[in-house]
Amino acid sequence: MHSVPTWNGRQGYCHSKAREFFARHGLDWLGFLQQGIDSQTLLDTGDALAIYLVEYVEAQRHGQQ
């Protein structure tokens, strides 16, 4: 979440907006911080930034930039 390149040239999503996202979708923010979250859960939100984050993480796992 902190390393994903964003549309404004900065790197990473901010915690305050991420917390808002989690609340809006009924997701457990503290659980995420402690244990992570399943990629499919993020994809199921249909949120473009969540989808982008999952795609970015998957690309990093496969050695792509």
Side-chain angles (χ1 to χ4, degrees):
M1 188 171 93
H2 293 292
S3 64
V4 63
T6 63
W7 65 96
N8 63 7
R10 294 185 179 175
Q11 196 163 339
Y13 294 162
C14 71
H15 273 218
S16 64
K17 295 298 182 185
R19 281 191 302 269
E20 288 177 20
F21 167 84
F22 272 70
R24 186 171 54 251
H25 292 283
L27 302 173
D28 180 7
W29 173 250
L30 292 178
F32 164 69
L33 292 177
Q34 295 171 349
Q35 302 161 2
I37 192 168
D38 183 69
S39 295
Q40 191 60 51
T41 301
L42 293 174
L43 293 173
D44 289 346
T45 68
D47 183 273
L49 293 178
I51 294 167
Y52 178 69
L53 176 62
V54 170
E55 290 172 348
Y56 174 76
V57 169
E58 291 298 320
Q60 294 301 304
R61 283 186 184 159
H62 293 72
Q64 304 167 358
Q65 299 293 330

